[in-house]
Amino acid sequence: MKGIGVSPGISIGKAFVIKKDKTFVTSVLLKNDLEISSESERFNLAVDLAIAEIESIKTNRELILTEEDIAILETQIEFISDPQLKEDVIEKISGDKKNANDALIEVTANLVELFLNMDDAYMRARAADIQDIGSRILKHLNGSVKSDTQQFEPDTIIIAEDIAPSDTITMDTRYITGFATQMGSKTSHAAIIARSKGISAVVGCGDSLKLIKDGDVIILDGISGQIYINPDQQLIDEYRAKREDFIKQSEKLKALRDVPCVTTDGESIMLTANISGADDLADVFENGGEGVGLLRTELLFMNRDTFPSEEEQFEFYKKVALQSKDKSVIVRTIDIGGDKQLSYFGLPIEQNPFLGYRAIRICLDRTDIFITQLKAILRAGVFGDLKIMFPMISNVEEVRAAKNILAEAKKELQEEHIPFNVDIKVGIMIEIPSAAITADILAKEVDFFSIGTNDLCQYTLAVDRMNEKITHLYDPFNPGVLRLISNVIEEGYKHNIHVGMCGEMAGDPLATLLLLGMGLKEFSMSASAIPAIKNIIISHSLSSAQEVCKKIMEMDSSSTIITYLQDLAQ
Amino acid sequence: MITTDYIITAPQGMHARPATNLVKLGKNFQSVISLKKGEKTVRINSLLNILSLSIKGGETISVMVDGEDEADAATAIGLFFTQQLKDQ
């Protein structure tokens, strides 16, 4: 069975199934003012009791509460004592003559509905918290309060419909190794608590979770979301090994995360990530990334029926900017065409789409599309260190034309009196051989270069990346490709502009020393590749990398180069 | 009455924890303190009402403070929105 893995880790243990008490509406109406006032009293008392219960958890010395736990308890108290909740319930009691039980159930349901309909995922997840508050008061209203702290055996995996704050607070989590719930999302309480306590968790498993009974042996994979019920010994052994690996790996990762990326002789190198949206950022920082070397914007344009408006795009970039912790974020302008098509933008089928109407070529032709995107990025630049990068540049005229349109976008924003970042940095992607060869010319026009090795390799070697028959020719270690890369870095250095790399090669451990030796300053890759690359950089000196680079640049074939690098790695 | 606009600089916006702290902060003052986002205005004595505004990072909200100690209250609330919110 499979759910959504929301807290990484692998747990093997025994199931403990939590069942919720069901609540019922009685539909009994109140007869007179006396009953009304006594029901109101009863509700107020239940609220007081519910608060007292949480206060007693807060001061219970047997539970080891973290600052996080206390904050959750305090939020619970504020929810329970909320004047709006009270006002709504009392209104239903005195106005609609409902009894306290029914009034509370109704008010809770309305609030849950309200939060479920919000457009923000975090707020939607709060609906479960509100349901929990309602149930908690209801419990006191009906006088059925169960014992406070639950005890578990070691290696317990909790199985529940959903896990509410009040559940986790009264649980002794020391022996809990995993959570699995029917409902929930990445931002639901179970997920947040599990991550903060380092417990693996899988949510959103659906009804099939009901198959699990108390005492079943469970394997829970919080990364893939996979759950196994009563697995055989072979599978248990396999997952035990996986768990060992995960623990080792995450310890290493943690140890490296906050280590500055500096060579043994003091050269600072930037390790950044390639991402597709704000949701990817947490992972970047978790892996020790220091920003974003490539924000792809295609997601924003794909899987829809029309071009996104300036406002929609602005929200997308702003979200990234706000969550970027003021680190550098390079935003690549639309890179559609080639293998990336849009259903609503009728691009004709071409003989050679990779050599055709794509990326900056479309933008310079359809300036209306381009200017909308540029305005949105400029505006979002107020909220973080966003930079603009133009892809598929083949000559200096294209750079100048793109910059002219950027100036036009700024002018329009000025006239509309909308705040934007006037001094936004502008760079280009170097992925066409002519651009790599004329790096000296292009460097005078921009603030930075980012080398896109995937396309640079395919264009330089005349190899279609998608053609399986010739994949062996697709080789970034080809001396021709290496010379182009080296030239770009050198010209960037001469003209005092920043040079980074955002292609596959930047995340290839085999290439790290060579690129470092060439003088590359920023390596941008998928977040998960960062720790391994960092490990290489911090354990070598720049001067030794320069030696490696010098030797390699004198070698005549890619096979010699790769063999040399492989020997070096051992 | 003192009315001040703030841009929410905390990326995650107004989550349950900072909202709890805002409710608690408001209890220190006699003044009636309200938040306005778009067309909707709520008092800050209710966590539910604050959350129902669904305030996100980058949005602008208005804060209205009305009462005898409004000057002190407005200063404290100002500090909350300009600094403390981001640290929570």
Side-chain angles (χ1 to χ4, degrees):
Chain A
M1 135 181 18
K2 208 167 172 342
I4 313 160
V6 289
S7 181
I10 286 163
S11 317
I12 304 168
K14 284 206 166 138
F16 184 99
V17 182
I18 295 180
K19 289 195 185 73
K20 284 261 160 189
D21 302 334
K22 289 279 173 239
T23 52
F24 297 101
V25 177
T26 61
S27 301
V28 178
L29 289 180
L30 305 175
K31 293 188 201 74
N32 49 43
D33 285 357
L34 192 69
E35 283 192 356
I36 287 174
S37 78
S38 93
E39 280 301 284
S40 304
E41 273 309 305
R42 225 160 62 79
F43 173 73
N44 288 337
L45 183 68
V47 167
D48 290 345
L49 285 171
I51 293 171
E53 187 194 359
I54 295 182
E55 290 285 1
S56 80
I57 296 168
K58 233 172 92 183
T59 50
N60 184 343
R61 287 171 185 278
E62 274 176 42
L63 298 170
I64 308 142
L65 297 176
T66 61
E67 220 174 289
E68 173 94 26
D69 294 332
I70 303 230
I72 289 170
L73 290 170
E74 287 183 345
T75 299
Q76 291 251 304
I77 292 177
E78 287 307 334
F79 266 131
I80 294 175
S81 57
D82 196 287
Q84 190 65 52
L85 178 74
K86 185 176 255 181
E87 195 184 309
D88 290 354
V89 172
I90 299 293
E91 166 68 29
K92 290 227 179 292
I93 294 174
S94 55
D96 302 347
K97 301 207 171 6
K98 307 247 177 192
N99 63 50
N101 176 79
D102 293 2
L104 179 60
I105 291 174
E106 240 178 77
V107 168
T108 310
N110 289 344
L111 283 168
V112 165
E113 182 77 22
L114 174 77
F115 277 80
L116 279 180
N117 282 319
M118 288 192 178
D119 58 357
D120 183 86
Y122 172 85
M123 288 300 166
R124 278 199 299 276
R126 299 287 73 69
D129 294 350
I130 291 161
Q131 184 63 60
D132 180 43
I133 299 303
S135 313
R136 198 165 252 272
I137 303 175
L138 202 62
K139 217 169 56 176
H140 287 279
L141 201 56
N142 299 328
S144 63
V145 180
K146 36 173 203 215
S147 65
D148 38 7
T149 318
Q150 278 176 303
Q151 298 291 338
F152 299 105
E153 284 176 37
D155 290 334
T156 295
I157 293 177
I158 299 288
I159 311 290
E161 194 176 318
D162 199 1
I163 293 173
S166 58
D167 295 326
T168 45
I169 285 158
T170 54
M171 271 176 201
D172 190 346
T173 51
R174 275 174 299 176
Y175 292 136
I176 295 175
T177 141
F179 286 155
T181 63
Q182 285 179 37
M183 310 204 288
S185 65
K186 240 184 171 155
T187 47
S188 59
H189 181 76
I192 294 169
I193 280 290
R195 282 196 294 268
S196 81
K197 295 200 185 280
I199 296 169
S200 42
V202 177
V203 302
C205 302
D207 279 347
S208 52
L209 204 64
K210 287 181 185 157
L211 296 173
I212 300 177
K213 290 182 289 297
D214 270 333
D216 280 349
V217 174
I218 303 291
I219 294 177
L220 186 142
D221 183 341
I223 307 160
S224 69
Q226 196 73 45
I227 296 173
Y228 298 98
I229 309 169
N230 294 324
D232 58 22
Q233 194 56 42
Q234 195 189 340
L235 198 62
I236 292 180
D237 291 342
E238 188 188 311
Y239 269 86
R240 282 218 174 105
K242 266 195 185 179
R243 184 172 61 186
E244 290 296 310
D245 283 350
F246 176 79
I247 293 168
K248 257 191 233 152
Q249 191 58 35
S250 58
E251 273 166 5
K252 217 164 110 188
L253 215 149
K254 240 193 205 151
L256 275 175
R257 187 180 58 197
D258 301 319
V259 175
C261 189
V262 180
T263 61
T264 54
D265 48 357
E267 181 74 13
S268 266
I269 302 296
M270 251 177 105
L271 295 186
T272 54
N274 302 343
I275 66 168
S276 299
D279 292 344
D280 298 339
L281 275 170
D283 206 25
V284 175
F285 294 123
E286 193 58 36
N287 282 286
E290 296 169 88
V292 174
L294 170 66
L295 169 63
R296 303 182 192 95
T297 58
E298 290 76 61
L299 257 190
L300 195 51
F301 296 86
M302 287 158 109
N303 301 323
R304 49 184 298 136
D305 304 321
T306 54
F307 274 105
S309 66
E310 180 185 319
E311 213 52 39
E312 242 175 292
Q313 293 195 46
F314 168 61
E315 287 299 329
F316 178 89
Y317 306 130
K318 187 174 83 176
K319 206 167 160 201
V320 175
L322 282 166
Q323 293 181 21
S324 65
K325 303 188 177 174
D326 289 326
K327 303 280 190 218
S328 161
V329 176
I330 297 177
V331 185
R332 177 174 71 187
T333 57
I334 319 175
D335 192 23
I336 48 175
D339 54 340
K340 292 169 231 154
Q341 293 291 335
L342 301 179
S343 58
Y344 54 88
F345 187 55
L347 288 171
I349 293 171
E350 298 181 353
Q351 286 269 339
N352 294 301
F354 278 100
L355 304 179
Y357 187 60
R358 60 175 290 205
I360 197 75
R361 299 169 180 179
I362 296 178
C363 290
L364 294 178
D365 180 43
R366 288 289 304 273
T367 52
D368 54 326
I369 298 168
F370 195 31
I371 211 160
T372 307
Q373 182 178 36
L374 292 175
K375 282 168 80 177
I377 301 171
L378 282 165
R379 287 171 58 192
V382 174
F383 300 94
D385 184 14
L386 299 189
K387 299 178 169 115
I388 294 177
M389 173 163 76
F390 306 126
M392 281 291 286
I393 294 291
S394 67
N395 61 48
V396 75
E397 284 95 340
E398 284 168 341
V399 184
R400 289 181 187 144
K403 279 167 66 186
N404 281 340
I405 297 170
L406 181 66
E408 180 61 32
K410 288 182 184 176
K411 206 177 126 212
E412 283 186 21
L413 287 171
Q414 232 149 21
E415 282 165 5
E416 293 162 26
H417 301 289
I418 298 173
F420 67 95
N421 180 7
V422 192
D423 303 314
I424 204 155
K425 294 265 187 289
V426 178
I428 55 173
M429 210 157 151
I430 304 283
E431 51 190 332
I432 298 181
S434 64
I437 294 164
T438 58
D440 57 325
I441 301 173
L442 299 172
K444 292 173 190 147
E445 298 286 332
V446 293
D447 302 309
F448 65 90
F449 285 155
S450 182
I451 307 170
T453 50
N454 305 0
D455 274 344
L456 184 61
C457 195
Q458 115 166 319
Y459 292 139
T460 306
L461 304 174
V463 174
D464 181 349
R465 272 196 276 157
M466 314 283 168
N467 188 332
E468 283 169 22
K469 280 193 177 153
I470 49 169
T471 42
H472 62 284
L473 289 174
Y474 178 81
D475 176 13
F477 293 98
N478 177 300
V481 178
L482 294 184
R483 281 176 198 210
L484 284 180
I485 294 172
S486 172
N487 182 58
V488 175
I489 297 172
E490 205 178 308
E491 289 303 331
Y493 185 76
K494 273 190 206 157
H495 292 85
N496 206 19
I497 70 168
H498 180 82
V499 182
M501 177 179 285
C502 61
E504 295 285 338
M505 201 179 184
D508 180 356
L510 207 56
T512 311
L513 279 185
L514 169 62
L515 295 171
L516 183 66
M518 284 183 182
L520 191 69
K521 290 278 185 270
E522 177 178 349
F523 294 63
S524 189
M525 61 203 84
S526 65
S528 59
I530 292 174
I533 301 298
K534 191 188 230 178
N535 204 10
I536 296 173
I537 292 174
I538 60 174
S539 47
H540 288 87
S541 66
L542 178 63
S543 53
S544 69
Q546 282 164 340
E547 285 302 313
V548 169
C549 173
K550 210 174 139 199
K551 279 200 190 114
I552 286 176
M553 296 311 272
E554 282 163 7
M555 294 179 184
D556 60 2
S557 76
S558 140
S559 55
T560 326
I561 293 170
I562 292 173
T563 312
Y564 172 71
L565 284 171
Q566 276 167 343
D567 288 347
L568 218 55
Q570 272 157 18
Chain B
M1 186 167 82
I2 302 173
T3 304
T4 322
D5 286 358
Y6 295 101
I7 293 181
I8 304 297
T9 49
Q12 73 278 17
M14 185 74 97
H15 274 189
R17 188 188 294 191
T20 301
N21 292 333
L22 184 61
V23 176
K24 286 207 257 173
L25 181 66
K27 286 180 185 164
N28 298 329
F29 302 99
Q30 303 296 320
S31 296
V32 172
I33 306 169
S34 318
L35 294 186
K36 184 168 182 254
K37 185 189 132 182
E39 293 301 302
K40 207 173 162 190
T41 305
V42 302
R43 281 187 60 181
I44 65 157
N45 64 353
S46 161
L47 180 57
L48 284 168
N49 285 341
I50 297 176
L51 291 180
S52 75
L53 290 182
S54 186
I55 298 167
K56 301 188 214 31
E59 288 183 340
T60 305
I61 51 141
S62 308
V63 181
M64 280 87 71
V65 188
D66 192 12
E68 271 175 36
D69 56 358
E70 61 186 26
D72 290 345
T75 311
I77 298 283
L79 204 63
F80 176 85
F81 279 110
T82 51
Q83 290 178 21
Q84 292 154 359
L85 181 57
K86 217 176 176 179
D87 302 332
Q88 288 175 11

